[in-house]
Amino acid sequence: PMGVFLDALDKVGIKIVPYYLFLAKLSETGMPHLEIGFEEYSFTSLGADDMKTIAAIPERRAAEEELLQRLNDGKLCYGVKKDGKLAAFIWVNLQECHYEGYMFPLKEDEAYLFDAFTLMAFRGRGIAPFMRYKTYRELSRSGRKKMYSISNRLHKSSVKFKEKLDAEII
């Protein structure tokens, strides 16, 4: 009902996007249980060569040039691969949290995670929590202890997913 109403407003030029801002911190003990079952997967930093693969994903709309610009702007991209094939990826901004017109600068111990995506062939395997945990660990090694992310309030599965990872709505 709410989504239909907001879609109707969007069609006449009024855009309303209700969202939650989440804050997650890697606990001292971490969440090693999220790594169980992913021995055949690799977590890696993605670079310019990987942007062609991401741009070619049918469900995605970002052009390769846009993705390369993200890298040139200093954003990081991490991915999960199995047998050399990309299964999922996530973007990280170390300078600012930016979503639909809402923006704030980040401190040296903060990061903003955005545009996470799991390819259709790999959905339903728990890759997203594994990838997010590995991203938290990687960022914490460089002193980034607070991880922000944003979810559309109406996207209930995204909200539940982040709550399972002990992210809190702030």
Side-chain angles (χ1 to χ4, degrees):
M2 178 60 83
V4 173
F5 175 69
L6 294 177
D7 286 343
L9 286 176
D10 193 32
K11 287 179 181 164
V12 297
I14 300 170
K15 186 168 183 94
I16 298 173
V17 183
Y19 62 87
Y20 289 123
L21 174 63
F22 286 89
L23 174 62
K25 299 175 186 173
L26 185 63
S27 70
E28 295 300 317
T29 58
M31 298 179 205
H33 65 281
L34 294 176
E35 294 188 75
I36 297 170
F38 292 97
E39 295 78 13
E40 296 178 19
Y41 291 80
S42 62
F43 176 80
T44 184
S45 179
L46 301 179
D49 293 344
D50 299 293
M51 296 305 112
K52 185 179 293 296
T53 302
I54 292 173
I57 298 170
E59 302 86 14
R60 303 281 303 170
R61 294 191 188 123
E64 183 180 358
E65 296 76 26
E66 178 187 338
L67 299 171
L68 289 170
Q69 188 60 51
R70 285 182 183 181
L71 291 174
N72 289 335
D73 290 343
K75 294 173 180 70
L76 307 174
C77 189
Y78 294 109
V80 173
K81 294 183 178 184
K82 183 175 184 194
D83 300 325
K85 292 185 178 172
L86 186 65
F89 62 87
I90 188 167
W91 284 90
V92 179
N93 190 330
L94 302 176
Q95 276 76 50
E96 64 185 17
C97 177
H98 194 113
Y99 179 78
E100 300 283 337
Y102 176 67
M103 192 276 295
F104 63 89
L106 296 172
K107 298 174 183 156
E108 287 190 23
D109 66 337
E110 299 174 331
Y112 170 54
L113 284 58
F114 69 102
D115 196 12
F117 187 84
T118 302
L119 282 79
M120 287 292 189
F122 293 94
R123 291 191 180 167
R125 300 180 190 186
I127 292 172
F130 166 73
M131 179 174 66
R132 193 163 284 257
Y133 170 64
K134 296 293 268 184
T135 302
Y136 290 172
R137 284 195 38 203
E138 185 65 28
L139 292 170
S140 71
R141 287 188 184 111
S142 62
R144 306 284 173 160
K145 303 292 184 190
K146 298 176 185 173
M147 320 300 172
Y148 292 101
S149 62
I150 292 177
S151 289
N152 184 313
R153 270 182 73 171
L154 303 177
H155 196 260
K156 292 184 186 337
S157 61
S158 175
V159 172
K160 275 186 170 178
F161 160 71
K162 290 180 181 174
E163 288 174 338
K164 281 184 190 175
L165 291 172
D166 293 331
E168 65 177 294
I169 297 170
I170 58 169

